[in-house]
Amino acid sequence: MKTKHLICLVTAIFLFTGCEVHMGPSEYWSKLFRTQTDSDYYRGKSEKLVKKISKGLVEYDINRIAIIDLVDEGGNVPILGEYMSSRVVEATTNNSYLRKKNFRVTQKGEINQVMAQLNLKPTFFYTKNELKNLGKSLKSEAILTGKITDLGTNLDVHLSLTDVVTGEVIASATENLNRTKFAVEMLRRH
């Protein structure tokens, strides 16, 4: 009897070793835990940021803003800062609630021209006087600035919406980005 069980066990092991079992993650889990990102990923993060910021826009009845390129910890505008500011512009102009409200975003070329005339550079913080001059020149009621911080495990994108008249922060939002090789490379290039 023991011999019969032993032969069955050996036969079963032999048969199963010839079978290939794929134990990898399903397509769903691969998408959920992917380490690299694509443009849809950044679009989603930008939309989340704009959704958080738009609460302040509604509360303060802001109808026109200027979005300044995001800076890094050194105060420089990295490629990732330009890219994320463009994504935020896109998410803001595509926001259905803001479109119904006749909301406007100042064009980037106009912002760059006015900043050159005022001898200003993109930064996360502006003085009250600089904000008033930017607001008046751009005909904007608020300025949206941002900063990207490399935390080592991820990248934090922080946006701050400031009223140009009072200098008060009326809304802010933070989202973290996956720290991929691509994102870090874009953060390091100016």
Side-chain angles (χ1 to χ4, degrees):
M1 189 72 152
K2 284 187 171 185
T3 319
K4 194 175 187 183
H5 286 305
L6 186 60
I7 291 173
C8 286
L9 180 63
V10 170
T11 304
I13 291 172
F14 179 73
L15 288 173
F16 286 124
T17 58
C19 299
E20 181 180 326
V21 178
H22 182 63
M23 297 295 286
S26 69
E27 184 75 25
Y28 170 77
W29 292 107
S30 294
K31 286 182 180 177
L32 186 63
F33 293 113
R34 70 177 146 206
T35 56
Q36 295 298 313
T37 52
D38 59 12
S39 62
D40 288 337
Y41 171 80
Y42 291 105
R43 180 182 11 249
K45 292 293 186 174
S46 300
E47 288 170 355
K48 286 180 182 179
L49 285 164
V50 168
K51 187 175 182 180
K52 293 174 187 176
I53 291 289
S54 65
K55 292 175 186 174
L57 293 170
V58 173
E59 184 179 335
Y60 284 81
D61 198 31
I62 302 291
N63 292 314
R64 186 174 172 125
I65 66 169
I67 299 174
I68 308 298
D69 286 337
L70 283 64
V71 296
D72 62 12
E73 296 134 357
N76 300 312
V77 178
I79 294 171
L80 185 59
E82 290 180 32
Y83 179 74
M84 286 303 295
S85 67
S86 297
R87 283 296 189 177
V88 169
V89 168
E90 177 185 2
T92 304
T93 57
N94 288 337
N95 184 299
S96 60
Y97 177 77
L98 295 177
R99 278 193 305 193
K100 291 177 190 174
K101 197 176 176 247
N102 200 24
F103 185 81
R104 299 287 179 248
V105 177
T106 305
Q107 196 266 344
K108 186 174 179 175
E110 186 179 346
I111 293 169
N112 291 342
Q113 181 182 9
V114 166
M115 289 184 74
Q117 289 171 353
L118 296 174
N119 201 24
L120 294 174
K121 292 183 179 180
T123 185
F124 186 58
F125 302 108
Y126 289 103
T127 65
K128 190 173 180 180
N129 192 37
E130 290 170 336
L131 284 168
K132 281 184 180 181
N133 289 336
L134 273 171
K136 183 178 178 183
S137 298
L138 294 170
K139 298 178 184 103
S140 294
E141 299 167 305
I143 304 293
L144 185 71
T145 58
K147 184 176 182 178
I148 303 172
T149 306
D150 187 347
L151 298 176
T153 55
N154 64 322
L155 304 174
D156 260 9
V157 176
H158 181 76
L159 298 182
S160 183
L161 184 68
T162 308
D163 185 298
V164 297
V165 176
T166 64
E168 294 177 4
V169 175
I170 57 178
S172 68
T174 301
E175 276 291 317
N176 56 22
L177 303 177
N178 290 340
R179 191 178 192 277
T180 63
K181 289 179 186 178
F182 179 69
V184 171
E185 184 64 27
M186 285 181 30
L187 183 59
R188 290 188 179 145
R189 293 195 181 203
H190 301 98

